[in-house]
Amino acid sequence: MTTKPLITLEHVSLTYPGSTSPAITDISFSVCEGDLTAILGPSGCGKTTVLRVIAGFERPAHGHVVISGKSVASANTWVEAEHRGVGMVFQDYALFPHLTVLQNVAFGLRGVTPNSQREKIREVFALIGLEGFESHYPSALSGGQQQRVALARALAPRPAVLLLDEPFSSLDPDMTERMREELLEILERTGSTSILVTHDHEEALDMADNVAVLNTGRLEQLGTPDEIYHTPTTAFVADFVGQADFVPGQVTEGKVVTEVGIFENVGRLKDSTQVLVMIRPDDVRIQPCETASARILRRHFRGSENLYRILLPSGQLLYSSDSSTVIYPVGTNVDIHVETLHTIVFLRDTQGGHCL
Ligand code: ADP
């Protein structure tokens, strides 16, 4: 369910002191009340900087940040971090090692009356399942338990906004899966509006209502997980959010002609235009055929699927995913059939540009 925007960034840019290039440039997006937005991108693309600007740890050189209808950063306004109603879970959790779990959580409630503090701590311990751990020190806790404490500390003051910086990066894969589910349940129960920073596209697609994809400090695309995956607007997004191949083609008699099939000319490009068609492995079906000229180079067994690497006669590689029980030996010649939901085409000489 989407309602009104609770966090809005307009044209936000920031260059760190001593740096010659901006960490983030002209970032604009909104997060609606109750929604979880993931900021996704490779290391160094500016994800944490966006989070720190929203939290009030960095002041942007340009732009405007609004939280709960109130301007918190602009050319004329600046609201300190502690007055923004924002809770943050840091990548390394940043728990105080010399304080107990109870004292760590209470740290987020400075300035609150003792009665109200007790009530809020009781509530958040019950919500996050920390009862019994009050007197433990962080060093005696597992990664997942430390994450719960960090989450409890951030949520205890009932912030309007929860910011999560790579919260699962220190956990092993089994624990990550469990904690993702737990976090989603907690966010739903508290009706939190949150932003999750991650470099893991599966995590972003799995958890978020919306995904903001960043590349070298710029917002490449903002959309639902389905939009980002199926209709990426740039080749960078297409490639970053999942396995994608870009097969060369040419517009001929109003169609896009490639060596793996003929596709719709979605951009109504002129004949002879050179293009790249984005193809995902789940859109590629293969069928063994002795006379076919494409060949299986490798089978990547992924547990729930087999991902086949196929060599086309031109030398182009193409990936095809199939069920884990469908096994073809390496070297098998295969016929290829590509069935895309939407044809995503990029101009060949501007691969990073917008799709057509
Ligand atoms: P991400 O979270 O996507 O890994 P960051 O927001 O941490 O990216 O960093 C964006 C860019 O800003 C990177 O080039 C990084 O080296 C630089 N950067 C981050 N923090 C600082 C800082 N305190 N001083 C100078 N440069 C920084």
Side-chain angles (χ1 to χ4, degrees):
M1 185 183 71
T2 51
T3 48
K4 60 181 187 234
L6 198 93
I7 310 165
T8 299
L9 279 77
E10 284 173 5
H11 308 294
V12 171
S13 300
L14 182 145
T15 303
Y16 285 103
S19 179
T20 49
S21 51
I24 52 172
T25 307
D26 201 23
I27 301 282
S28 300
F29 69 91
S30 290
V31 181
C32 285
E33 205 172 337
D35 275 2
L36 168 62
T37 291
I39 302 181
L40 174 70
S43 177
C45 72
K47 304 180 297 293
T48 299
T49 303
V50 172
L51 217 60
R52 291 178 62 84
V53 163
I54 298 168
F57 301 140
E58 304 291 345
R59 187 165 189 165
H62 302 284
H64 192 190
V65 181
V66 177
I67 299 176
S68 307
K70 187 174 156 195
S71 174
V72 294
S74 73
N76 312 314
T77 51
W78 177 250
V79 174
E80 296 291 340
E82 57 269 34
H83 299 126
R84 290 191 179 192
V86 166
M88 183 139 171
V89 175
F90 296 90
Q91 191 168 355
D92 58 1
Y93 312 138
L95 299 177
F96 301 112
H98 60 290
L99 300 184
T100 63
V101 167
L102 183 71
Q103 289 163 335
N104 264 283
V105 175
F107 187 85
L109 294 167
R110 286 157 298 154
V112 174
T113 62
N115 273 349
S116 168
Q117 197 180 85
R118 264 195 298 278
E119 177 59 21
K120 286 185 165 148
I121 288 176
R122 197 191 52 74
E123 264 181 32
V124 83
F125 269 61
L127 176 75
I128 297 187
L130 277 174
E131 292 118 325
F133 288 94
E134 288 81 351
S135 58
H136 287 54
Y137 284 89
S139 58
L141 303 177
S142 69
Q145 288 163 338
Q146 288 183 29
Q147 193 196 46
R148 281 196 193 99
V149 179
L151 191 57
R153 185 176 63 184
L155 282 174
R158 299 187 196 143
V161 169
L162 183 67
L163 305 176
L164 304 139
D165 191 1
E166 301 264 11
F168 308 108
S169 59
S170 320
L171 303 179
D172 60 46
D174 276 359
M175 182 57 102
T176 297
E177 189 80 8
R178 222 162 357 118
M179 291 306 289
R180 276 187 199 167
E181 289 305 313
E182 236 180 69
L183 178 63
L184 284 176
E185 267 172 40
I186 289 167
L187 295 180
E188 195 165 326
R189 261 188 280 157
T190 51
S192 299
T193 305
S194 35
I195 298 184
L196 168 87
V197 157
T198 180
H199 63 275
D200 179 339
H201 70 272
E202 283 180 9
E203 186 168 296
L205 298 181
D206 181 35
M207 293 186 71
D209 297 296
N210 286 292
V211 182
V213 185
L214 254 61
N215 179 19
T216 56
R218 291 182 181 274
L219 181 61
E220 289 254 336
Q221 187 172 357
L222 175 72
T224 63
D226 286 303
E227 286 164 350
I228 295 284
Y229 186 80
H230 290 298
T231 53
T233 54
T234 68
F236 173 83
V237 174
D239 204 24
F240 196 77
V241 300
Q243 176 79 45
D245 292 303
F246 298 90
V247 174
Q250 178 175 301
V251 180
T252 307
E253 295 177 2
K255 293 279 181 191
V256 174
V257 179
T258 74
E259 71 174 317
V260 290
I262 296 174
F263 299 90
E264 204 187 330
N265 181 11
V266 277
R268 298 205 182 151
L269 296 166
K270 283 195 288 198
D271 270 12
S272 304
T273 307
Q274 302 294 310
V275 296
L276 294 167
V277 179
M278 183 204 84
I279 297 173
R280 298 235 185 256
D282 29 313
D283 296 328
V284 180
R285 300 274 71 83
I286 55 174
Q287 189 63 46
C289 170
E290 270 182 27
T291 55
S293 44
R295 185 163 45 92
I296 294 176
L297 284 188
R298 171 123 155 71
R299 176 173 71 94
H300 301 271
F301 180 51
R302 297 280 171 87
S304 59
E305 64 160 2
N306 280 308
L307 186 67
Y308 288 100
R309 193 197 305 166
I310 317 283
L311 179 67
L312 302 181
S314 65
Q316 165 84 31
L317 294 176
L318 187 69
Y319 284 83
S320 165
S321 71
D322 222 317
S323 130
S324 64
T325 54
V326 176
I327 297 172
Y328 304 123
V330 167
T332 305
N333 288 358
V334 286
D335 267 337
I336 289 179
H337 182 64
V338 178
E339 257 175 42
T340 54
L341 267 182
H342 321 271
T343 312
I344 304 294
V345 174
F346 299 96
L347 288 177
R348 207 183 298 189
D349 56 348
T350 56
Q351 200 190 343
H354 285 266
C355 91
L356 302 162

